[in-house]
Amino acid sequence: MKFAVQLYSVRDHIKDGNDMLDVLGKVKEIGFDGVEFAGFFGLSADTLRARCEELGLTVVGCHMGLDDFTPEKLDETLAYGKALGAMYLGVGGAPHSTYEEAKNTGVVLGAASVKAKEMGMDTYYHNHTEEFTDLKDGKNAMDIISGEGCGLELDTYWSFCAGIDNPEYLKANKDKIILVHLKDGVNRKPTALGEGENDLMNVKTGVTEIGLEWVILENDDPVPTGLEDITRSYKWLKKNF
């Protein structure tokens, strides 16, 4: 199993492109195998790819906006992702509160997935808690969005907060889930791994059973800084995963 980090977790250290290049080095020093981007800070795909290759970091994914996957922008988005060497391109959230919104989000990402696969990539949707609320005919936003052909990135803390049995959900949706966010927290406030209430060892069981290669660390509210927080989480990962 390989470990990546969602760079939103260290956003407090990144104000410009130079900071981004520096933080990538620090992420590698901590021990991570890969990264998931959440913004590029004006850097070209070639520049970021060269830095990641220099460090030995795999570009596992990228969180972008749903607009980036619309027909008007899709070719540009896919070209950037291909040049970056990304495995997957996705969104960290998109309209999903009604059946119609979830359907549209799925249609956009599903159509983008067809073209992405032709270029050796795929698209995915990352959940929060609300996506597990039934919207129509017993289906929730996750069902509706993924039903249009895109993959899922299961955020295992927000699913835990929604009352989802993570191992069972992983097994039931193994053909849809391509990435997992490993996250902990207390009372819906994220924490470093092992400092919250999420049943992380059960998540490990589910991830192992479906054979996922990558798990991605994320903390929306790192304490006291992003780098210090993900360092604690990485130590927990190495000890327990």
Side-chain angles (χ1 to χ4, degrees), residues 17-43:
N18 289 330
D19 288 344
M20 170 66 83
L21 298 177
D22 182 58
V23 164
L24 288 171
K26 289 181 167 60
V27 163
K28 181 62 177 181
E29 287 174 6
I30 291 168
F32 288 96
D33 306 300
V35 291
E36 181 180 44
F37 284 96
F40 307 113
F41 292 85
L43 295 172

Side-chain angles (χ1 to χ4, degrees), residues 179-190:
L179 295 171
V180 160
H181 267 190
L182 200 61
K183 182 185 293 181
D184 208 349
V186 176
N187 295 327
R188 301 193 178 223
K189 180 175 175 55

